[in-house]
Amino acid sequence: MSTTTPAQPDIAPASPAVSVPAPAPAAIVPPAVPPSAPRRSRPPTRDGRITGQPAFVLHSYPHKETSLIVDVFTREYGRIALVAKGAKRPHSQLRGVLQTFQPLQAGWTGKSELRILTGAEWVGGMLPLEKTALLCGFYLNELLVKLLARDDPHPVLFDHYVATLNQLAHNEPPPIVLRKFERALLKETGVAADLTRCTGTRQAVDAGQVYVVDPERGPRPARAADAWPKITGKTLLDMEREDYLDVATQAQSKLLMRFLLAHQLGGATLNTRQILIDLMQL
């Protein structure tokens, strides 16, 4: 699996050596530079053409008479939209390749928001999703489509997505698998608070106390008038550790994640989640 290396800051050349011994001059300390978020680098491109990029199809829809617009999640380039020319034709090689939950090596060209797919090849190595696992997979894809900005790379989240599909395919408990992915998605998009510390006071969360989680700030002690989900400190600590063995933690984390995701979605509905709720109460 390919990795990328962040660009290094320019380094000033060293001063020439001094031939005559002399007291070392006082060091000049450069002014402090305020910290900034690290910039994610991308692989170099040649003439705007990308090849061999790990990718998954999230969603596709018709474009003109014979083509598709395909929303794909790539490892180094994030979520992008590609025009798959001729993909709807009966004998197109792309018809059987551009399927959800199949690991692909994709290539494209162009620099606009809508790029042109130049090739896609099935990689293999993953079990297919079936029954409830298949519905869970569509739920993951809908979350990514609605919560990830285009052209924003998230390689760690991509790897987590691959691991989650594998866990679902191997029949690991969907409620636990989904909670872990939901939490990872909020973390990687920068909107997940530290669940081990109270907002404002920064005091450690007490496993025996009851809290609410402000979607913009984080946990604080619950008040009688709070309409937000009330969550025990133990559940918050369990979620931070990704420990969902406790039945109470499973139930409370489901309510909390539903609340936090609804806030981030800004009122947008998740069709697949409603189906899952109706079928399994996830």
mmCIF file of all heavy atoms in Angstrom, residues 136-184:
data_model
loop_
_atom_site.group_PDB
_atom_site.id
_atom_site.type_symbol
_atom_site.label_atom_id
_atom_site.label_comp_id
_atom_site.label_asym_id
_atom_site.label_seq_id
_atom_site.Cartn_x
_atom_site.Cartn_y
_atom_site.Cartn_z
ATOM 1 N N CYS A 136 -24.995 -2.593 5.608
ATOM 2 C CA CYS A 136 -24.039 -1.800 6.390
ATOM 3 C C CYS A 136 -23.012 -1.129 5.471
ATOM 4 O O CYS A 136 -22.612 0.014 5.704
ATOM 5 C CB CYS A 136 -23.328 -2.688 7.404
ATOM 6 S SG CYS A 136 -24.370 -3.301 8.753
ATOM 7 N N GLY A 137 -22.582 -1.847 4.433
ATOM 8 C CA GLY A 137 -21.644 -1.270 3.491
ATOM 9 C C GLY A 137 -22.215 -0.057 2.783
ATOM 10 O O GLY A 137 -21.537 0.960 2.612
ATOM 11 N N PHE A 138 -23.489 -0.144 2.366
ATOM 12 C CA PHE A 138 -24.128 1.011 1.724
ATOM 13 C C PHE A 138 -24.260 2.177 2.709
ATOM 14 O O PHE A 138 -24.180 3.346 2.310
ATOM 15 C CB PHE A 138 -25.490 0.622 1.173
ATOM 16 C CG PHE A 138 -25.414 -0.150 -0.115
ATOM 17 C CD1 PHE A 138 -25.948 -1.427 -0.207
ATOM 18 C CD2 PHE A 138 -24.807 0.397 -1.224
ATOM 19 C CE1 PHE A 138 -25.880 -2.142 -1.399
ATOM 20 C CE2 PHE A 138 -24.738 -0.308 -2.428
ATOM 21 C CZ PHE A 138 -25.268 -1.586 -2.510
ATOM 22 N N TYR A 139 -24.450 1.861 3.980
ATOM 23 C CA TYR A 139 -24.505 2.914 5.005
ATOM 24 C C TYR A 139 -23.153 3.626 5.111
ATOM 25 O O TYR A 139 -23.089 4.867 5.165
ATOM 26 C CB TYR A 139 -24.900 2.301 6.344
ATOM 27 C CG TYR A 139 -24.749 3.214 7.530
ATOM 28 C CD1 TYR A 139 -25.541 4.344 7.668
ATOM 29 C CD2 TYR A 139 -23.814 2.947 8.526
ATOM 30 C CE1 TYR A 139 -25.402 5.190 8.763
ATOM 31 C CE2 TYR A 139 -23.674 3.773 9.621
ATOM 32 C CZ TYR A 139 -24.466 4.895 9.736
ATOM 33 O OH TYR A 139 -24.315 5.721 10.824
ATOM 34 N N LEU A 140 -22.068 2.870 5.112
ATOM 35 C CA LEU A 140 -20.735 3.481 5.146
ATOM 36 C C LEU A 140 -20.538 4.401 3.943
ATOM 37 O O LEU A 140 -20.030 5.528 4.074
ATOM 38 C CB LEU A 140 -19.656 2.393 5.134
ATOM 39 C CG LEU A 140 -19.639 1.367 6.263
ATOM 40 C CD1 LEU A 140 -18.479 0.389 6.055
ATOM 41 C CD2 LEU A 140 -19.533 2.031 7.616
ATOM 42 N N ASN A 141 -20.922 3.915 2.760
ATOM 43 C CA ASN A 141 -20.744 4.721 1.553
ATOM 44 C C ASN A 141 -21.553 6.011 1.605
ATOM 45 O O ASN A 141 -21.079 7.076 1.181
ATOM 46 C CB ASN A 141 -21.150 3.909 0.321
ATOM 47 C CG ASN A 141 -20.116 2.854 -0.044
ATOM 48 O OD1 ASN A 141 -19.138 2.649 0.670
ATOM 49 N ND2 ASN A 141 -20.327 2.175 -1.150
ATOM 50 N N GLU A 142 -22.771 5.929 2.138
ATOM 51 C CA GLU A 142 -23.599 7.129 2.220
ATOM 52 C C GLU A 142 -22.992 8.140 3.190
ATOM 53 O O GLU A 142 -23.007 9.352 2.939
ATOM 54 C CB GLU A 142 -25.021 6.770 2.642
ATOM 55 C CG GLU A 142 -25.994 7.923 2.494
ATOM 56 C CD GLU A 142 -27.440 7.542 2.769
ATOM 57 O OE1 GLU A 142 -27.687 6.396 3.201
ATOM 58 O OE2 GLU A 142 -28.316 8.399 2.568
ATOM 59 N N LEU A 143 -22.436 7.651 4.289
ATOM 60 C CA LEU A 143 -21.747 8.556 5.218
ATOM 61 C C LEU A 143 -20.586 9.269 4.536
ATOM 62 O O LEU A 143 -20.404 10.488 4.677
ATOM 63 C CB LEU A 143 -21.221 7.769 6.425
ATOM 64 C CG LEU A 143 -22.186 7.409 7.540
ATOM 65 C CD1 LEU A 143 -21.459 6.610 8.615
ATOM 66 C CD2 LEU A 143 -22.821 8.656 8.154
ATOM 67 N N LEU A 144 -19.783 8.529 3.777
ATOM 68 C CA LEU A 144 -18.621 9.120 3.121
ATOM 69 C C LEU A 144 -19.046 10.154 2.074
ATOM 70 O O LEU A 144 -18.439 11.223 1.956
ATOM 71 C CB LEU A 144 -17.770 8.029 2.475
ATOM 72 C CG LEU A 144 -17.061 7.079 3.450
ATOM 73 C CD1 LEU A 144 -16.389 5.943 2.691
ATOM 74 C CD2 LEU A 144 -16.034 7.823 4.296
ATOM 75 N N VAL A 145 -20.081 9.836 1.303
ATOM 76 C CA VAL A 145 -20.539 10.759 0.278
ATOM 77 C C VAL A 145 -21.034 12.062 0.902
ATOM 78 O O VAL A 145 -20.779 13.155 0.385
ATOM 79 C CB VAL A 145 -21.648 10.109 -0.581
ATOM 80 C CG1 VAL A 145 -22.354 11.150 -1.453
ATOM 81 C CG2 VAL A 145 -21.056 9.004 -1.454
ATOM 82 N N LYS A 146 -21.724 11.964 2.040
ATOM 83 C CA LYS A 146 -22.351 13.158 2.620
ATOM 84 C C LYS A 146 -21.442 13.929 3.577
ATOM 85 O O LYS A 146 -21.676 15.108 3.834
ATOM 86 C CB LYS A 146 -23.643 12.758 3.330
ATOM 87 C CG LYS A 146 -24.725 12.315 2.349
ATOM 88 C CD LYS A 146 -26.071 12.085 3.008
ATOM 89 C CE LYS A 146 -27.133 11.788 1.961
ATOM 90 N NZ LYS A 146 -28.466 11.514 2.547
ATOM 91 N N LEU A 147 -20.402 13.281 4.100
ATOM 92 C CA LEU A 147 -19.572 13.960 5.095
ATOM 93 C C LEU A 147 -18.147 14.267 4.632
ATOM 94 O O LEU A 147 -17.452 15.041 5.284
ATOM 95 C CB LEU A 147 -19.515 13.126 6.386
ATOM 96 C CG LEU A 147 -20.815 13.066 7.182
ATOM 97 C CD1 LEU A 147 -20.647 12.168 8.414
ATOM 98 C CD2 LEU A 147 -21.267 14.455 7.616
ATOM 99 N N LEU A 148 -17.703 13.682 3.526
ATOM 100 C CA LEU A 148 -16.356 13.968 3.033
ATOM 101 C C LEU A 148 -16.421 14.997 1.919
ATOM 102 O O LEU A 148 -17.173 14.836 0.949
ATOM 103 C CB LEU A 148 -15.688 12.697 2.491
ATOM 104 C CG LEU A 148 -15.144 11.684 3.480
ATOM 105 C CD1 LEU A 148 -14.370 10.609 2.726
ATOM 106 C CD2 LEU A 148 -14.270 12.317 4.540
ATOM 107 N N ALA A 149 -15.630 16.051 2.053
ATOM 108 C CA ALA A 149 -15.491 17.005 0.951
ATOM 109 C C ALA A 149 -14.690 16.358 -0.170
ATOM 110 O O ALA A 149 -13.837 15.496 0.076
ATOM 111 C CB ALA A 149 -14.793 18.268 1.438
ATOM 112 N N ARG A 150 -14.959 16.765 -1.390
ATOM 113 C CA ARG A 150 -14.197 16.239 -2.510
ATOM 114 C C ARG A 150 -12.767 16.772 -2.491
ATOM 115 O O ARG A 150 -12.494 17.859 -2.003
ATOM 116 C CB ARG A 150 -14.878 16.596 -3.834
ATOM 117 C CG ARG A 150 -16.084 15.704 -4.133
ATOM 118 C CD ARG A 150 -16.456 15.750 -5.588
ATOM 119 N NE ARG A 150 -17.501 14.766 -5.855
ATOM 120 C CZ ARG A 150 -18.574 14.993 -6.573
ATOM 121 N NH1 ARG A 150 -18.765 16.204 -7.076
ATOM 122 N NH2 ARG A 150 -19.460 14.046 -6.801
ATOM 123 N N ASP A 151 -11.869 15.961 -3.025
ATOM 124 C CA ASP A 151 -10.451 16.326 -3.168
ATOM 125 C C ASP A 151 -9.773 16.594 -1.828
ATOM 126 O O ASP A 151 -8.846 17.405 -1.738
ATOM 127 C CB ASP A 151 -10.290 17.547 -4.085
ATOM 128 C CG ASP A 151 -10.768 17.269 -5.500
ATOM 129 O OD1 ASP A 151 -10.244 16.333 -6.117
ATOM 130 O OD2 ASP A 151 -11.682 17.979 -5.969
ATOM 131 N N ASP A 152 -10.221 15.927 -0.793
ATOM 132 C CA ASP A 152 -9.612 16.050 0.537
ATOM 133 C C ASP A 152 -9.110 14.666 0.946
ATOM 134 O O ASP A 152 -9.900 13.822 1.371
ATOM 135 C CB ASP A 152 -10.634 16.576 1.542
ATOM 136 C CG ASP A 152 -10.004 16.885 2.893
ATOM 137 O OD1 ASP A 152 -8.759 16.910 2.967
ATOM 138 O OD2 ASP A 152 -10.744 17.084 3.871
ATOM 139 N N PRO A 153 -7.817 14.383 0.790
ATOM 140 C CA PRO A 153 -7.315 13.029 1.032
ATOM 141 C C PRO A 153 -7.364 12.631 2.504
ATOM 142 O O PRO A 153 -7.057 13.425 3.390
ATOM 143 C CB PRO A 153 -5.868 13.085 0.526
ATOM 144 C CG PRO A 153 -5.506 14.525 0.519
ATOM 145 C CD PRO A 153 -6.759 15.302 0.298
ATOM 146 N N HIS A 154 -7.758 11.387 2.747
ATOM 147 C CA HIS A 154 -7.807 10.824 4.094
ATOM 148 C C HIS A 154 -7.286 9.383 4.041
ATOM 149 O O HIS A 154 -8.065 8.426 4.141
ATOM 150 C CB HIS A 154 -9.235 10.835 4.639
ATOM 151 C CG HIS A 154 -9.774 12.193 4.934
ATOM 152 N ND1 HIS A 154 -9.447 12.890 6.077
ATOM 153 C CD2 HIS A 154 -10.602 13.003 4.228
ATOM 154 C CE1 HIS A 154 -10.069 14.062 6.072
ATOM 155 N NE2 HIS A 154 -10.770 14.147 4.960
ATOM 156 N N PRO A 155 -5.967 9.200 3.885
ATOM 157 C CA PRO A 155 -5.439 7.830 3.764
ATOM 158 C C PRO A 155 -5.716 6.947 4.966
ATOM 159 O O PRO A 155 -5.956 5.743 4.817
ATOM 160 C CB PRO A 155 -3.935 8.040 3.543
ATOM 161 C CG PRO A 155 -3.656 9.440 3.992
ATOM 162 C CD PRO A 155 -4.904 10.219 3.760
ATOM 163 N N VAL A 156 -5.688 7.513 6.175
ATOM 164 C CA VAL A 156 -5.969 6.707 7.365
ATOM 165 C C VAL A 156 -7.414 6.241 7.350
ATOM 166 O O VAL A 156 -7.717 5.073 7.661
ATOM 167 C CB VAL A 156 -5.670 7.521 8.646
ATOM 168 C CG1 VAL A 156 -6.118 6.757 9.889
ATOM 169 C CG2 VAL A 156 -4.182 7.831 8.739
ATOM 170 N N LEU A 157 -8.332 7.116 6.988
ATOM 171 C CA LEU A 157 -9.741 6.736 6.906
ATOM 172 C C LEU A 157 -9.956 5.718 5.794
ATOM 173 O O LEU A 157 -10.766 4.786 5.943
ATOM 174 C CB LEU A 157 -10.603 7.968 6.669
ATOM 175 C CG LEU A 157 -12.112 7.731 6.632
ATOM 176 C CD1 LEU A 157 -12.609 7.173 7.961
ATOM 177 C CD2 LEU A 157 -12.853 9.026 6.293
ATOM 178 N N PHE A 158 -9.245 5.841 4.688
ATOM 179 C CA PHE A 158 -9.342 4.855 3.613
ATOM 180 C C PHE A 158 -8.961 3.471 4.131
ATOM 181 O O PHE A 158 -9.666 2.479 3.879
ATOM 182 C CB PHE A 158 -8.434 5.256 2.449
ATOM 183 C CG PHE A 158 -8.497 4.323 1.265
ATOM 184 C CD1 PHE A 158 -9.383 4.571 0.229
ATOM 185 C CD2 PHE A 158 -7.667 3.214 1.190
ATOM 186 C CE1 PHE A 158 -9.456 3.715 -0.867
ATOM 187 C CE2 PHE A 158 -7.730 2.350 0.105
ATOM 188 C CZ PHE A 158 -8.626 2.600 -0.930
ATOM 189 N N ASP A 159 -7.855 3.391 4.862
ATOM 190 C CA ASP A 159 -7.433 2.102 5.422
ATOM 191 C C ASP A 159 -8.469 1.568 6.411
ATOM 192 O O ASP A 159 -8.716 0.351 6.470
ATOM 193 C CB ASP A 159 -6.075 2.252 6.111
ATOM 194 C CG ASP A 159 -4.951 2.566 5.127
ATOM 195 O OD1 ASP A 159 -5.148 2.360 3.909
ATOM 196 O OD2 ASP A 159 -3.882 3.026 5.578
ATOM 197 N N HIS A 160 -9.076 2.464 7.186
ATOM 198 C CA HIS A 160 -10.105 2.047 8.136
ATOM 199 C C HIS A 160 -11.338 1.532 7.387
ATOM 200 O O HIS A 160 -11.976 0.568 7.817
ATOM 201 C CB HIS A 160 -10.487 3.217 9.044
ATOM 202 C CG HIS A 160 -11.118 2.796 10.334
ATOM 203 N ND1 HIS A 160 -10.546 3.032 11.566
ATOM 204 C CD2 HIS A 160 -12.269 2.124 10.586
ATOM 205 C CE1 HIS A 160 -11.333 2.531 12.509
ATOM 206 N NE2 HIS A 160 -12.383 1.984 11.932
ATOM 207 N N TYR A 161 -11.661 2.159 6.278
ATOM 208 C CA TYR A 161 -12.790 1.715 5.452
ATOM 209 C C TYR A 161 -12.543 0.292 4.939
ATOM 210 O O TYR A 161 -13.433 -0.567 5.008
ATOM 211 C CB TYR A 161 -12.967 2.686 4.288
ATOM 212 C CG TYR A 161 -14.026 2.313 3.287
ATOM 213 C CD1 TYR A 161 -15.382 2.511 3.542
ATOM 214 C CD2 TYR A 161 -13.673 1.784 2.040
ATOM 215 C CE1 TYR A 161 -16.353 2.189 2.604
ATOM 216 C CE2 TYR A 161 -14.633 1.464 1.095
ATOM 217 C CZ TYR A 161 -15.977 1.665 1.385
ATOM 218 O OH TYR A 161 -16.922 1.335 0.449
ATOM 219 N N VAL A 162 -11.343 0.024 4.436
ATOM 220 C CA VAL A 162 -11.006 -1.318 3.955
ATOM 221 C C VAL A 162 -11.124 -2.339 5.085
ATOM 222 O O VAL A 162 -11.712 -3.417 4.914
ATOM 223 C CB VAL A 162 -9.585 -1.336 3.360
ATOM 224 C CG1 VAL A 162 -9.197 -2.752 2.956
ATOM 225 C CG2 VAL A 162 -9.497 -0.408 2.152
ATOM 226 N N ALA A 163 -10.590 -1.994 6.259
ATOM 227 C CA ALA A 163 -10.669 -2.905 7.404
ATOM 228 C C ALA A 163 -12.119 -3.148 7.813
ATOM 229 O O ALA A 163 -12.500 -4.273 8.166
ATOM 230 C CB ALA A 163 -9.871 -2.333 8.583
ATOM 231 N N THR A 164 -12.947 -2.102 7.760
ATOM 232 C CA THR A 164 -14.354 -2.237 8.142
ATOM 233 C C THR A 164 -15.096 -3.150 7.178
ATOM 234 O O THR A 164 -15.894 -4.007 7.605
ATOM 235 C CB THR A 164 -15.027 -0.856 8.183
ATOM 236 O OG1 THR A 164 -14.336 -0.038 9.138
ATOM 237 C CG2 THR A 164 -16.483 -0.967 8.601
ATOM 238 N N LEU A 165 -14.852 -3.014 5.878
ATOM 239 C CA LEU A 165 -15.484 -3.912 4.912
ATOM 240 C C LEU A 165 -15.087 -5.357 5.166
ATOM 241 O O LEU A 165 -15.919 -6.273 5.084
ATOM 242 C CB LEU A 165 -15.098 -3.502 3.486
ATOM 243 C CG LEU A 165 -15.610 -2.157 2.980
ATOM 244 C CD1 LEU A 165 -15.178 -1.950 1.520
ATOM 245 C CD2 LEU A 165 -17.121 -2.050 3.104
ATOM 246 N N ASN A 166 -13.821 -5.576 5.483
ATOM 247 C CA ASN A 166 -13.363 -6.937 5.785
ATOM 248 C C ASN A 166 -14.037 -7.487 7.045
ATOM 249 O O ASN A 166 -14.413 -8.660 7.097
ATOM 250 C CB ASN A 166 -11.842 -6.954 5.942
ATOM 251 C CG ASN A 166 -11.119 -7.096 4.607
ATOM 252 O OD1 ASN A 166 -11.462 -7.942 3.788
ATOM 253 N ND2 ASN A 166 -10.125 -6.259 4.383
ATOM 254 N N GLN A 167 -14.180 -6.650 8.061
ATOM 255 C CA GLN A 167 -14.833 -7.095 9.292
ATOM 256 C C GLN A 167 -16.292 -7.457 9.042
ATOM 257 O O GLN A 167 -16.793 -8.472 9.551
ATOM 258 C CB GLN A 167 -14.725 -5.994 10.348
ATOM 259 C CG GLN A 167 -13.315 -5.776 10.863
ATOM 260 C CD GLN A 167 -13.146 -4.461 11.585
ATOM 261 O OE1 GLN A 167 -14.099 -3.702 11.785
ATOM 262 N NE2 GLN A 167 -11.909 -4.159 11.988
ATOM 263 N N LEU A 168 -16.986 -6.654 8.251
ATOM 264 C CA LEU A 168 -18.378 -6.956 7.925
ATOM 265 C C LEU A 168 -18.472 -8.240 7.111
ATOM 266 O O LEU A 168 -19.373 -9.067 7.337
ATOM 267 C CB LEU A 168 -18.999 -5.795 7.155
ATOM 268 C CG LEU A 168 -19.216 -4.499 7.936
ATOM 269 C CD1 LEU A 168 -19.625 -3.365 6.997
ATOM 270 C CD2 LEU A 168 -20.271 -4.686 9.027
ATOM 271 N N ALA A 169 -17.560 -8.420 6.160
ATOM 272 C CA ALA A 169 -17.579 -9.620 5.329
ATOM 273 C C ALA A 169 -17.322 -10.876 6.133
ATOM 274 O O ALA A 169 -17.789 -11.962 5.770
ATOM 275 C CB ALA A 169 -16.554 -9.494 4.207
ATOM 276 N N HIS A 170 -16.582 -10.745 7.254
ATOM 277 C CA HIS A 170 -16.290 -11.892 8.115
ATOM 278 C C HIS A 170 -17.267 -11.998 9.283
ATOM 279 O O HIS A 170 -16.978 -12.645 10.288
ATOM 280 C CB HIS A 170 -14.853 -11.814 8.625
ATOM 281 C CG HIS A 170 -13.819 -12.150 7.593
ATOM 282 N ND1 HIS A 170 -13.331 -11.217 6.692
ATOM 283 C CD2 HIS A 170 -13.209 -13.326 7.278
ATOM 284 C CE1 HIS A 170 -12.439 -11.801 5.898
ATOM 285 N NE2 HIS A 170 -12.360 -13.072 6.233
ATOM 286 N N ASN A 171 -18.402 -11.329 9.143
ATOM 287 C CA ASN A 171 -19.525 -11.465 10.093
ATOM 288 C C ASN A 171 -19.192 -11.009 11.510
ATOM 289 O O ASN A 171 -19.737 -11.540 12.486
ATOM 290 C CB ASN A 171 -20.024 -12.923 10.131
ATOM 291 C CG ASN A 171 -20.560 -13.374 8.784
ATOM 292 O OD1 ASN A 171 -21.307 -12.657 8.133
ATOM 293 N ND2 ASN A 171 -20.159 -14.569 8.352
ATOM 294 N N GLU A 172 -18.329 -10.004 11.634
ATOM 295 C CA GLU A 172 -18.135 -9.406 12.950
ATOM 296 C C GLU A 172 -19.378 -8.580 13.300
ATOM 297 O O GLU A 172 -20.095 -8.127 12.407
ATOM 298 C CB GLU A 172 -16.871 -8.546 12.968
ATOM 299 C CG GLU A 172 -15.606 -9.371 12.768
ATOM 300 C CD GLU A 172 -14.347 -8.602 13.108
ATOM 301 O OE1 GLU A 172 -14.430 -7.643 13.904
ATOM 302 O OE2 GLU A 172 -13.277 -8.962 12.574
ATOM 303 N N PRO A 173 -19.693 -8.394 14.598
ATOM 304 C CA PRO A 173 -20.957 -7.752 14.994
ATOM 305 C C PRO A 173 -21.123 -6.370 14.363
ATOM 306 O O PRO A 173 -20.341 -5.452 14.644
ATOM 307 C CB PRO A 173 -20.842 -7.660 16.517
ATOM 308 C CG PRO A 173 -19.864 -8.720 16.888
ATOM 309 C CD PRO A 173 -18.890 -8.796 15.764
ATOM 310 N N PRO A 174 -22.135 -6.177 13.497
ATOM 311 C CA PRO A 174 -22.310 -4.876 12.824
ATOM 312 C C PRO A 174 -22.407 -3.682 13.763
ATOM 313 O O PRO A 174 -21.805 -2.639 13.461
ATOM 314 C CB PRO A 174 -23.604 -5.071 12.020
ATOM 315 C CG PRO A 174 -23.668 -6.533 11.754
ATOM 316 C CD PRO A 174 -23.109 -7.173 12.994
ATOM 317 N N PRO A 175 -23.140 -3.754 14.898
ATOM 318 C CA PRO A 175 -23.204 -2.553 15.744
ATOM 319 C C PRO A 175 -21.830 -2.064 16.206
ATOM 320 O O PRO A 175 -21.565 -0.859 16.213
ATOM 321 C CB PRO A 175 -24.066 -3.002 16.934
ATOM 322 C CG PRO A 175 -24.884 -4.127 16.402
ATOM 323 C CD PRO A 175 -23.980 -4.841 15.442
ATOM 324 N N ILE A 176 -20.954 -3.004 16.578
ATOM 325 C CA ILE A 176 -19.626 -2.621 17.045
ATOM 326 C C ILE A 176 -18.780 -2.096 15.888
ATOM 327 O O ILE A 176 -18.096 -1.065 15.996
ATOM 328 C CB ILE A 176 -18.937 -3.813 17.735
ATOM 329 C CG1 ILE A 176 -19.711 -4.211 18.995
ATOM 330 C CG2 ILE A 176 -17.480 -3.487 18.068
ATOM 331 C CD1 ILE A 176 -19.164 -5.432 19.697
ATOM 332 N N VAL A 177 -18.824 -2.789 14.747
ATOM 333 C CA VAL A 177 -18.053 -2.371 13.581
ATOM 334 C C VAL A 177 -18.465 -0.971 13.127
ATOM 335 O O VAL A 177 -17.614 -0.122 12.821
ATOM 336 C CB VAL A 177 -18.232 -3.390 12.434
ATOM 337 C CG1 VAL A 177 -17.553 -2.887 11.162
ATOM 338 C CG2 VAL A 177 -17.659 -4.754 12.830
ATOM 339 N N LEU A 178 -19.767 -0.702 13.096
ATOM 340 C CA LEU A 178 -20.244 0.602 12.643
ATOM 341 C C LEU A 178 -19.866 1.715 13.610
ATOM 342 O O LEU A 178 -19.504 2.816 13.190
ATOM 343 C CB LEU A 178 -21.752 0.576 12.448
ATOM 344 C CG LEU A 178 -22.279 -0.342 11.344
ATOM 345 C CD1 LEU A 178 -23.787 -0.203 11.212
ATOM 346 C CD2 LEU A 178 -21.591 -0.076 10.013
ATOM 347 N N ARG A 179 -19.960 1.447 14.930
ATOM 348 C CA ARG A 179 -19.598 2.492 15.889
ATOM 349 C C ARG A 179 -18.132 2.887 15.730
ATOM 350 O O ARG A 179 -17.782 4.065 15.795
ATOM 351 C CB ARG A 179 -19.843 1.998 17.317
ATOM 352 C CG ARG A 179 -21.255 1.737 17.742
ATOM 353 C CD ARG A 179 -22.194 2.903 17.670
ATOM 354 N NE ARG A 179 -22.790 3.049 16.364
ATOM 355 C CZ ARG A 179 -23.792 2.281 15.885
ATOM 356 N NH1 ARG A 179 -24.296 1.305 16.621
ATOM 357 N NH2 ARG A 179 -24.287 2.490 14.680
ATOM 358 N N LYS A 180 -17.268 1.904 15.527
ATOM 359 C CA LYS A 180 -15.851 2.217 15.368
ATOM 360 C C LYS A 180 -15.606 3.050 14.118
ATOM 361 O O LYS A 180 -14.814 4.001 14.132
ATOM 362 C CB LYS A 180 -15.038 0.917 15.308
ATOM 363 C CG LYS A 180 -14.962 0.167 16.629
ATOM 364 C CD LYS A 180 -14.132 -1.104 16.476
ATOM 365 C CE LYS A 180 -14.024 -1.853 17.792
ATOM 366 N NZ LYS A 180 -13.226 -3.097 17.664
ATOM 367 N N PHE A 181 -16.294 2.708 13.028
ATOM 368 C CA PHE A 181 -16.092 3.471 11.798
ATOM 369 C C PHE A 181 -16.653 4.882 11.921
ATOM 370 O O PHE A 181 -16.024 5.846 11.476
ATOM 371 C CB PHE A 181 -16.744 2.763 10.613
ATOM 372 C CG PHE A 181 -16.507 3.489 9.317
ATOM 373 C CD1 PHE A 181 -15.315 3.330 8.624
ATOM 374 C CD2 PHE A 181 -17.455 4.364 8.806
ATOM 375 C CE1 PHE A 181 -15.080 4.022 7.440
ATOM 376 C CE2 PHE A 181 -17.227 5.060 7.627
ATOM 377 C CZ PHE A 181 -16.032 4.888 6.947
ATOM 378 N N GLU A 182 -17.834 5.021 12.521
ATOM 379 C CA GLU A 182 -18.419 6.351 12.707
ATOM 380 C C GLU A 182 -17.481 7.248 13.498
ATOM 381 O O GLU A 182 -17.271 8.418 13.146
ATOM 382 C CB GLU A 182 -19.766 6.234 13.425
ATOM 383 C CG GLU A 182 -20.862 5.593 12.600
ATOM 384 C CD GLU A 182 -22.043 5.154 13.446
ATOM 385 O OE1 GLU A 182 -21.907 5.100 14.692
ATOM 386 O OE2 GLU A 182 -23.094 4.835 12.874
ATOM 387 N N ARG A 183 -16.923 6.708 14.554
ATOM 388 C CA ARG A 183 -15.993 7.488 15.379
ATOM 389 C C ARG A 183 -14.738 7.857 14.587
ATOM 390 O O ARG A 183 -14.249 8.987 14.657
ATOM 391 C CB ARG A 183 -15.640 6.670 16.625
ATOM 392 C CG ARG A 183 -14.660 7.337 17.578
ATOM 393 C CD ARG A 183 -15.302 8.390 18.404
ATOM 394 N NE ARG A 183 -14.325 8.968 19.331
ATOM 395 C CZ ARG A 183 -14.312 10.224 19.695
ATOM 396 N NH1 ARG A 183 -15.224 11.060 19.226
ATOM 397 N NH2 ARG A 183 -13.408 10.682 20.537
ATOM 398 N N ALA A 184 -14.203 6.908 13.825
ATOM 399 C CA ALA A 184 -13.017 7.179 13.008
ATOM 400 C C ALA A 184 -13.309 8.245 11.971
ATOM 401 O O ALA A 184 -12.467 9.116 11.705
ATOM 402 C CB ALA A 184 -12.544 5.893 12.332
#
